[in-house]
Amino acid sequence: MTKIKSLADLRKLKDEVQSKIKLRENSDNPDHVVQIKVGMATCGIASGAKETMNSFIEELEQEAIDAVVSQTGCMGFCYAEPTVEVTLPNKEPVLFGHVHKEKVREIIDVYIKRGELIDGIIPINFKTIDD
Amino acid sequence: MIPLKTNNFNHMKTLAEHILDIAQNSVRAKATLIEIIVEESKKSDLWTLTITDNGCGMEEDMVKRATDPFFTSRTTRKVGLGLALLQQNTSAAGGTVRIKSKPGEGTVLKAEFQLSHIDRPPVGNIGETLYLLFLGYTTGELKYEHKCEKGTFSIRSSELHDALGEVPLQNKEVRDGVIELIKTNLVEIGATK
């Protein structure tokens, strides 16, 4: 593929992508896809949340799992950063702590694919935050 | 085994990580316009980051305490290290952090690093940082400008969304494309790594 240098190149890329994928309806309907929020405040960034987010994006792409990976603020569990909140469709959000590369694999393989809980879940009474 | 400890507890390893971190202060201040400007000058030996927003702003005494690690406006925790770490890194690299703010009008943050200083953190991956900011900041306009002696590169969220239409930023090819676009242009103007 040619190098992308300008917005015009990006527009071309968009057209290619658009013709390849039929736009999935579920991207408008987040209730039907796996939602992943990576804590990315100072504490998260300092402990490598950027790498965690990248591995999630890459691994999920490889596994062809429909998911929305986004970032969120600090959830108050700085000691356990990088923290990641995973919401499976129609389930309560679950927060995992100390999520580095290997843990990303484990979360995808065990929790997202099979729905089994794994070690490293933060508090039971955790509620999602809005900002 | 007890891990070997060094006396540097600052884990912000790159300037790009600082940008990602500090820009989120503006997002939390409910800004609808965030302007990130990086200026490099070999002549005056400076790498300057300016972040301007039109968010809620701060009172004077809050500005004074902003770089204090034990001060934060959050309630989820009692420390606020973002600006403190930035200040630590700038002063280690012969620079300063200055903040000007007015309640209701917005905030201007200026961080200067001595470009050639041995303790200046590497710039890091600006493309990735901006991609994450574009992805995460959906409530306003984000503008990035990078000025070098050889030229200027700028990109804003509205033109990006305009170019992409309905294709989401999350799409892997789009993600790689956006990061590549920023990277290629920064290399072209000879931005420091």
Side-chain angles (χ1 to χ4, degrees), chain A residues 1-18 20-21 23-24 27 40-48 50-51 53-55 57-58 61-62 67-78 129 131, chain B residues 11-14 16-18 20-21 24 28 74 76-77 79 81-83 85 125 128-129 131-137 153 155 159-160 162-168 170-178 180-182 184-185 188:
Chain A
M1 204 168 60
T2 49
K3 263 209 156 171
I4 292 162
K5 274 187 184 162
S6 64
L7 286 165
D9 295 340
L10 198 64
R11 213 167 256 140
K12 258 183 242 158
L13 174 86
K14 178 213 100 178
D15 294 336
E16 276 169 41
V17 173
Q18 204 163 23
K20 250 188 274 172
I21 53 161
L23 283 177
R24 304 169 189 140
S27 47
M40 236 186 254
T42 312
C43 42
I45 299 169
S47 10
K50 245 161 87 169
E51 284 80 37
M53 184 153 178
N54 283 339
S55 354
I57 294 173
E58 274 152 30
E61 179 79 22
Q62 255 174 28
V68 179
V69 184
S70 57
Q71 46 188 320
T72 183
C74 173
M75 299 180 251
F77 307 105
C78 309
I129 57 163
D131 71 329
Chain B
H11 286 274
M12 286 291 161
K13 292 190 190 76
T14 62
E17 284 178 4
H18 274 303
L20 178 61
D21 184 25
Q24 286 182 57
R28 282 198 355 112
R74 287 177 188 267
T76 48
R77 49 169 155 79
V79 292
L81 299 181
L83 284 165
L85 294 179
N125 193 337
E128 193 176 55
T129 291
Y131 170 78
L132 287 175
L133 285 172
F134 285 132
L135 187 69
Y137 179 53
F153 164 68
I155 186 164
E159 56 183 18
L160 194 65
D162 190 45
L164 290 175
E166 303 161 53
V167 177
Q170 263 112 347
N171 181 288
K172 178 137 194 307
E173 283 162 74
V174 169
R175 170 174 174 260
D176 294 346
V178 172
E180 193 184 301
L181 164 77
I182 296 165
T184 329
N185 280 287
E188 207 143 274

Side-chain angles (χ1 to χ4, degrees), chain A residues 118-131:
Chain A
I118 51 174
D119 273 353
I121 291 173
I122 296 179
I124 311 151
N125 59 352
F126 166 76
K127 286 266 183 295
T128 184
I129 57 163
D130 287 328
D131 71 329

